[in-house]
Amino acid sequence: MGQVEELEARRAKLEARLAEVKRRQKAVEQAAVARTASADRKVDARRKIVLGGVLLALLRSNPAALDYMRRALPPLAAERDRPLLTTVLDGLGAPVSGQNGDRAVV
């Protein structure tokens, strides 16, 4: 094999290696984006859970706020979520079984 053929073969090998490195780099970048998106979704879900818990505690402890939310929230909710929202809000008005407000009934 002559020098030209050797250089062409070497160039082909280097180009193949470069293509493989670029493919791996793209895969690593996509994985990083996926991890970040997953972490963001987890944080967002946690925020919603915490906010929902705080809101439920407020509504349970404040009858005026609960009455207001019973009127104000259903029109803002998606049609498919309204029955669930109504059930949750209606369930907040009655004390939890065995409790009177925050104090257990003895």
Side-chain angles (χ1 to χ4, degrees):
M1 193 171 358
Q3 188 176 8
V4 173
E5 290 84 15
E6 288 177 18
L7 290 175
E8 287 175 352
R10 185 171 182 194
R11 180 179 181 160
K13 286 180 184 177
L14 290 173
E15 286 176 350
R17 283 177 52 191
L18 179 61
E20 178 62 19
V21 167
K22 286 182 178 181
R23 186 192 63 75
R24 287 183 186 172
Q25 179 183 7
K26 186 176 181 179
V28 168
E29 289 170 354
Q30 288 174 338
V33 168
R35 272 193 305 274
T36 301
S38 176
D40 290 349
R41 282 191 303 274
K42 287 178 183 177
V43 169
D44 188 49
R46 179 136 177 88
R47 284 184 191 134
K48 290 174 184 176
I49 290 167
V50 169
L51 181 59
V54 169
L55 181 60
L56 290 174
L58 169 70
L59 295 178
R60 178 159 281 216
S61 67
N62 187 335
L66 178 58
D67 288 341
Y68 175 78
M69 289 299 193
R70 280 184 176 144
R71 291 187 311 271
L73 286 182
L76 301 175
E79 186 69 38
R80 65 187 172 107
D81 296 334
R82 288 180 189 162
L84 176 62
L85 180 62
T86 301
T87 301
V88 169
L89 292 176
D90 288 347
L92 291 175
V96 174
S97 176
Q99 291 187 354
N100 182 7
D102 290 333
R103 294 170 292 185
V105 175
V106 185

